[in-house]
Each structure stands twice: as structure tokens, then as C-alpha cells.
Amino acid sequence: MKKILALFLIFCVIIVVIIYFNLPANNSFSKTIYLKTNQSAAERFLFDESNWIKWWPSDLKNNLAIINIKNDHNNYSYSLYKKMYGGINIVIKKNETEFRTTINLLSLGKDSLAVAWNCQLPTNVNPIFKIRNYFYAKNLKRNADEILENLKSFLENNDSVYSIHIKQIMVTDTLLIATRYASATYPSTPVIYGLIQNLKNYISINNATETNPPMLHIAYDSGYYKTMIAVPVNRELEDNGNFLLKKMVSGKILVTQIKGGLSTTSEAFRQLQIYVDDNHLSSPAIPFESLITNRMTESDTSKWITKIYYPIF
């Protein structure tokens, strides 16, 4: 029995020695992905830890300060340690062990980006720690693969990045008849539709035709809400006091369709502005809403359908 035990121990030692000398001297992992996205969007979702939950793998656990992901029963926690130019440092913890890692972003053009995640584990001559670090490196690499692939899928989908579906089209309604209105309070729905009806009456008595739903733009300035309402028409009409002929340039315009009330509309405008900034676009004219749903006949704001247009060049 003692002989068998001794042989077994010798066998185990041989196995450990073989493993030890076949393991790399330095344990590390490195993962690089290439994205079709802009750097501003990537930095916004990577450099702000509160945004990680939006693209982190679905099997995460999140408490906003530390994000945990479980792979093969190995529980690692990830947290943002430091921001730097063109990258961030992320601390990965496994029990009481910490690993400092770096994610670097490299712009490859206007809408192309490389993201590289690197980690160098400390070397250790102790065979137990060396073997442990080897398996740590394997697990960390596997996690990094999954995390970065999720990031890629998220950032390459504009619907996810901006929370709305944005299309670029050409302007078709170039002739508009418009009116302005200023008030100390936000204009109510009856006020807005009263102004729309005035425009419709003016269009009708001039034998013109409406070509699309009414447009709305409201801006707060110098203590007043300044409202402009316009209706697309099929031909030029004369200016007449409160009614103004507007001509839009036949260029590019962004459009998104949303469903909801004022807060939903405001958020959609905000996301469109972020999209414009991210892509270094400019606007030759003010953005506006197209009122698809008649808000006078539908009182439930959650059912309001609105198209938002943002002219660009």
C-alpha cells in the first residue's frame, strides 16, 4: 500500500513538473475587435461605468458600482479604475486577487475603430500560483471575448446606441406655409391645433393642397416659448400677415418615428442631437416634429405618433 501511495505521489509530482515547465513564463490575455462605429459613441458607453449595463452580457449581475459576470463557475468582478486619453484601466477581481487591465481605443477613420483589451498577470515561481495564474488568464480571456463581442454588437447597432431608429432621407416637402406664436407658458394642444386650423383655412381659400401632416417647432428663448407651425403645400402661396411662405433646401434630413408624449419627444430630439454631434454633422435649418396623430382627438399621449426631422449636411 505504501509503495502504491509513493508511486502515486511521484506520478503527481511528475505531472506538476511537466505542467509547470510547459506553462508560459508570463500569463496574459489580449483581445482586439474592430467596430463600424464612431469614437464618441464608443467612449460614451465604455468610459461611463453606468452605461455598461446597456451592453454587458446578459448573464451579468450589476450593482452599478461593480459588474459581475459568471463564466464556468468562476466569478470575476469588473470595475472602472481610471480614465486616460484614448482608453481606460479596468480592475478585475477574483476573490482577493486583483488584475489591472487596459482597454485602448484606436480610431481607424470616421466610423471605424479598434478596441484592444490587454492584461499582464504577475509572474510567480511558485508552481501552485503559476498554474493558478495560467487558469486565471484563460478565464479572463474567455470573459474578455464575450464582453467585447457584446460591445461590438451593441455599438454597431444605431438603434441600441441612440434608443431610436434613425434614417437619412432626402427632403421632399420644400414648400411650406407657416405661422408663429409666442407665449409665456408652453402652448397647449388646443392652442397648437387652433394655429394649425388657421393654416389649413388659408391653404383652402387659396386653392392649394396639403401634402403632409403639420410641422411643429417650439423653442424657449428670453422668457417665452416661441412656436412655429408649418404645413407642407403643393405650390407657392403669398405671404399674408401671419402666414409666411417657407422654402426648405432639397437636401439630406434625418428622420425618426416615435410613440409617446412630450418627454418621449424631448428625449428623441436629444438623441438626434447626440447622433449629429457623434458624426460631426451640421444643420442648415431647425429640426421639427411632424404631427402624425391628431392630438385633439387622441388624449392618450402614449398613443401619439410623431415623426421628428433633423436637416443635415
Side-chain angles (χ1 to χ4, degrees), residues 4 23-24 50 56 70 144 178 186 188 195 211 218 247 251 264 270 277 282 289 291 298:
I4 294 174
L23 292 179
S50 66
W56 206 261
K70 285 187 175 181
Y186 194 90
S188 65
L195 296 169
T211 58
I218 301 174
K247 296 182 180 181
T264 305
R270 190 178 76 86
D277 293 340
S282 299
E289 305 171 46
L291 308 181
E298 178 55 73

Side-chain angles (χ1 to χ4, degrees), residues 21-184:
F21 284 105
N22 280 278
L23 292 179
N26 296 315
N27 289 309
S28 63
F29 77 81
S30 179
K31 170 72 175 180
T32 301
I33 57 171
Y34 299 92
L35 310 178
K36 297 295 290 182
T37 190
N38 62 79
Q39 186 153 346
S40 296
E43 290 181 354
R44 188 164 59 255
F45 286 95
L46 191 57
F47 289 17
D48 184 351
E49 194 174 4
S50 66
N51 280 330
W52 288 7
I53 194 171
K54 298 176 183 178
W55 55 267
W56 206 261
S58 58
D59 54 350
L60 63 82
K61 290 183 178 180
N62 180 277
N63 65 4
L64 296 183
I66 295 177
I67 299 175
N68 302 306
I69 177 172
K70 285 187 175 181
N71 278 344
D72 299 333
H73 307 291
N74 295 309
N75 193 347
Y76 294 84
S77 68
Y78 295 73
S79 60
L80 182 61
Y81 171 65
K82 184 174 68 174
K83 300 177 186 178
M84 53 190 181
Y85 180 76
I88 56 173
N89 292 137
I90 290 179
V91 173
I92 306 174
K93 292 183 179 180
K94 170 67 173 178
N95 299 325
E96 299 302 318
T97 307
E98 280 191 1
F99 311 101
R100 298 292 174 94
T101 70
T102 302
I103 295 182
N104 291 306
L105 277 63
L106 176 64
S107 178
L108 303 176
K110 184 179 178 181
D111 60 352
S112 187
L113 192 69
V115 179
W117 196 347
N118 299 290
C119 173
Q120 181 67 54
L121 275 70
T123 58
N124 201 309
V125 295
N126 184 311
I128 301 300
F129 286 102
K130 187 175 181 179
I131 294 171
R132 184 201 64 175
N133 285 351
Y134 170 76
F135 286 105
Y136 276 171
K138 286 192 66 174
N139 289 334
L140 291 171
K141 174 64 164 59
R142 184 165 57 247
N143 284 6
D145 289 346
E146 182 182 355
I147 293 166
L148 288 181
E149 287 303 319
N150 265 54
L151 178 67
K152 176 180 172 69
S153 297
F154 180 89
L155 289 176
E156 290 188 336
N157 183 350
N158 278 343
D159 291 10
S160 298
V161 172
Y162 301 101
S163 303
I164 52 176
H165 181 64
I166 302 171
K167 294 191 298 182
Q168 181 179 295
I169 61 173
M170 298 300 294
V171 172
T172 55
D173 295 314
T174 57
L175 296 175
L176 312 169
I177 193 70
T179 188
R180 292 189 176 97
Y181 176 77
S183 57

Side-chain angles (χ1 to χ4, degrees), residues 158 162 164-171 248 251-257 268-269 271-277 279 281-284 286-288 307-313:
N158 278 343
Y162 301 101
I164 52 176
H165 181 64
I166 302 171
K167 294 191 298 182
Q168 181 179 295
I169 61 173
M170 298 300 294
V171 172
M248 290 187 66
K252 298 176 182 178
I253 195 166
L254 302 176
V255 60
T256 185
Q257 181 169 297
F269 271 116
Q271 292 298 332
L272 278 169
Q273 183 62 60
I274 293 173
Y275 178 92
V276 168
D277 293 340
N279 291 279
L281 302 172
S282 299
S283 180
I286 60 174
F288 58 87
K307 285 187 177 180
I308 298 177
Y309 291 88
Y310 201 119
I312 58 165
F313 62 80

